[in-house]
Amino acid sequence: MCGIIGCTGRGEATLETLVDGLRKLDYRGYDSAGVALSGATGVDVVKKAGKLDALVEALSGERERLDGTVGIGHTRWSTHGAPTDANAHPHTDADGRVAVVHNGIIENYQSLRDELADAGYSFVSETDTEVVPHLVARALDGGAEPEAAVREAVSQLEGSYALGVVVAGVDAVFAARRDSPLVLGLGDGANYVASDVPAFREHTDHVVYLEDGEFARVEADSWVVTDADGDPVDHEVHVVEWDPEDTGKSGYEHFMLKEIHEQPRALRQGLQGRVDEMRGEVTLEEFPSLSPSRVHLLACGTSYHAAVYGAHVLHSRGVPAQAFYAHEYASATPPTDDALVVGVSQSGETADTLSAVRAARRRGAETVALTNTVESTMARECDHRLYIRSGPEIGVAATKTFASQLVALNLLALDVAPGGDDREAIAALRDLPGDVQTVLDSSRAAEVAREYADADAYFFIGRGPHYPVALEGALKLKEISYEHAEGFAAGELKHGPLALVTERTPVFATVTGEDQSARKTIGNVKEVEARDAPVVAVTDGRTEVERYADHVLEIPETHPHVAPLLANVQFQLVSYYVANDLGRPIDKPRHLAKSVTVE
Ligand code: F6R
């Protein structure tokens, strides 16, 4: 995901400060990078597609020219337009008076662009961001002072943004935010702006977090934050403890909660440019056209649940598929020559999964890395890569990466299945980010969690594509709350686990639609209700499960393959709030690590 750094007061070290800052933002993931240095007469920009090393190389011959002492830098994770030099940030106006870096999405950019183009401003990139320098330039052309011109531009933007702006001849970085984090770093004779503290942490630990709608003018020896009307806003200066993992929660108490709330955006990124609803098609640009006769999905933990879901979706689209725990794959039937073996791993570094995928490769199977991590070992070693594009996940408990894996597996299934694409599923995927937002905005999970925070155990049930989500609901809860939780296929309860069910063991059931599978799950719900267990039903309102439930957590109606993703959000929130009520260290559960690199 994108990163921003800006600084003023660093003198000859300006360029170095920007590049170092960008390196600190490396963990966020990006596909191009650039810097702009502003001097008395103009703004100089160097930007490059690819990794930072490409930018550093491009800068090597330019150090003489880049002598400005106010600067901004950016790492870009493409949204509007491919990762090219032209689309990389900073973006400038035609005369090189203004440079802008931006995180977020400007939703009204097309109308602004049309308006500016009609007025004679010409564009050189495909990005939404490029409207901003032109808006500033138009205001300058109209006689506005630099700060007023930047404010005027910002006031015309709709959508989300964290912006860093420099204007030639002005010894200040301007910054503005809405729905995208931005923080000021307050140093000694130098000040900073960044999307996250690590970008300038080596220079200062004094920070000010900007709030939505605020605007900042940052000079070498002073800084001022104002609201949208230009009135000064008082801000507390925070002192950051030296622990980079404690930074960047954007106001959330835990990374996990932040990452749960980032899901609409993560899913949008995962879908960007990959679904064409008009043509009813999935296009995985970086992916070859494959028609496997069978698919093996190898994974561990949460990713294994994604694999079980993926196998269900592939199977229902006519592609025989099976999920395996990667660490058990050695004893499974070896893949045949025509099998496609997919390693599902958000980190791309999980030793068990790597080892299983390597074994499959040695046996001659064609392999795919379905991962969040560009350049991870799995991504490098497999024949093909399908990136889930979730953005960095810092909380140990996987949340948004699981959701993104399920989306990527849907895309894979639509892409490789015989018989073409499914317009309804594609439309449901398109609507998914908005539907997840609806769940986040309206969920009663916190209330439900509070009621059951002292339960003896928690059970999760689901059928078909809801089954892996029941498994995941239980795993999430046990990981972060340390309470006993189990997930079951709904039909399996009566074959044994029902003996555990009491009035002190709430059963969370996910059931949507009105087909036979839903009716059968409702039958299983009645079985636990008859044994006095409290029932929490996650449903789309089309079932009659509410009649047997103590609580209902609602989700919007959608395609049967997509509904489990929405149910999962309710389960994530239940887990989070149970753990929070119990005072657990949610982001760093005991004994667990983010990336498990031993077998
Ligand atoms: C649970 C969790 C783990 C991982 C597992 C595999 O919240 O995150 O169960 O899913 O360790 O990790 P990856 O996906 O990196 O292979």
Side-chain angles (χ1 to χ4, degrees), residues 298-305 344-351 353 370-371 373 378 393 395-399 401 405 472 475-476 479-480 592-596:
L298 317 184
C300 306
T302 289
S303 295
Y304 172 73
H305 302 152
V344 182
S345 170
Q346 71 83 19
S347 64
E349 302 293 348
T350 298
T353 314
L370 192 136
T371 181
T373 315
M378 197 179 299
E393 186 175 67
V396 165
T399 51
T401 53
Q405 284 172 335
E472 175 61 8
L475 177 63
K476 217 81 304 175
E479 269 184 293
I480 61 167
L592 302 180
K594 187 72 186 155
S595 187
V596 184

Side-chain angles (χ1 to χ4, degrees), residues 3 13 24 60 65 76 185 205 254 259 285 325 393 415 496 501:
K24 298 283 170 16
S60 60
R65 182 167 74 87
R76 171 176 186 256
D205 57 358
H254 296 100
E259 287 158 0
E285 249 174 44
Y325 276 126
E393 186 175 67
D415 195 54
V501 166

Side-chain angles (χ1 to χ4, degrees), residues 423-434:
R423 278 177 192 271
E424 281 179 25
I426 289 175
L429 288 170
R430 179 212 55 200
D431 292 343
L432 178 65

Side-chain angles (χ1 to χ4, degrees), residues 106 108 112 115 131-132 135-136 138-139 144 146-159 161 163 165 175-178 213-215 227-230:
I106 295 168
N108 61 337
L112 291 170
E115 184 187 312
V131 295
V132 185
L135 287 172
V136 178
R138 183 168 69 174
E147 179 174 333
V150 179
R151 281 181 176 284
E152 196 180 314
V154 171
S155 71
Q156 294 167 72
L157 306 178
E158 288 166 20
Y161 50 79
L163 287 168
V165 183
R177 80 155 271 181
R178 184 194 289 161
E214 291 182 341
F215 183 96
D227 64 16
D229 297 321

Side-chain angles (χ1 to χ4, degrees), residues 33-36 44-48 55 58-59 62 65-66 89-90:
V35 293
D44 296 308
V45 174
V46 178
K47 51 189 192 168
K48 273 317 256 185
L55 176 68
L59 286 169
E62 300 269 11
R65 182 167 74 87
L66 297 168
H89 298 210

Side-chain angles (χ1 to χ4, degrees), residues 221-260:
D221 292 313
S222 67
W223 56 278
V224 58
V225 178
T226 44
D227 64 16
D229 297 321
D231 296 324
V233 181
D234 276 338
H235 262 285
E236 192 184 338
V237 177
H238 296 264
V239 178
V240 174
E241 301 294 332
W242 177 241
D243 183 353
E245 288 195 7
D246 277 347
T247 64
K249 292 187 193 141
S250 313
Y252 288 96
E253 201 176 336
H254 296 100
F255 280 112
M256 182 180 176
L257 190 60
K258 174 183 170 230
E259 287 158 0
I260 289 172

